[in-house]
Amino acid sequence: MAVVQTGDNKWAVARYIVDPTAGLGTHPTIAAAMADAVSGDVIAVRQGTYTENFTITSGVTLTTMGGSEYGGVTVVG
């Protein structure tokens, strides 16, 4: 588990961190993190634009790291 700061919840516990830059997260895409996640997991997505398609697994929380002041998260797909 990783402790990450999120936009609306100052401290949340995330099992997975999505970042397209190698070595900065546990997964490079939201779809890859979602494929490993199970109900009760939290996936934190770092700012950026993600061009992909994925299905949100029931019971999995998807949140962003930081807020719009950090550039926000955009999903195209």
Side-chain angles (χ1 to χ4, degrees):
M1 297 278 185
V3 177
V4 297
Q5 185 172 1
T6 62
D8 60 352
N9 179 2
K10 293 301 178 194
W11 298 102
V13 177
R15 183 168 184 187
Y16 303 112
I17 298 173
V18 178
D19 192 307
T21 304
L24 295 182
T26 60
H27 293 79
T29 66
I30 299 169
M34 197 62 70
D36 288 343
V38 296
S39 182
D41 285 342
V42 176
I43 299 171
V45 183
R46 292 194 187 205
Q47 69 272 5
T49 299
Y50 296 85
T51 304
E52 56 182 296
N53 294 304
F54 57 89
T55 301
I56 297 177
T57 302
S58 179
V60 172
T61 300
L62 195 59
T63 188
T64 62
M65 293 180 69
S68 60
E69 67 271 19
Y70 297 104
V73 171
T74 302
V75 177
V76 179

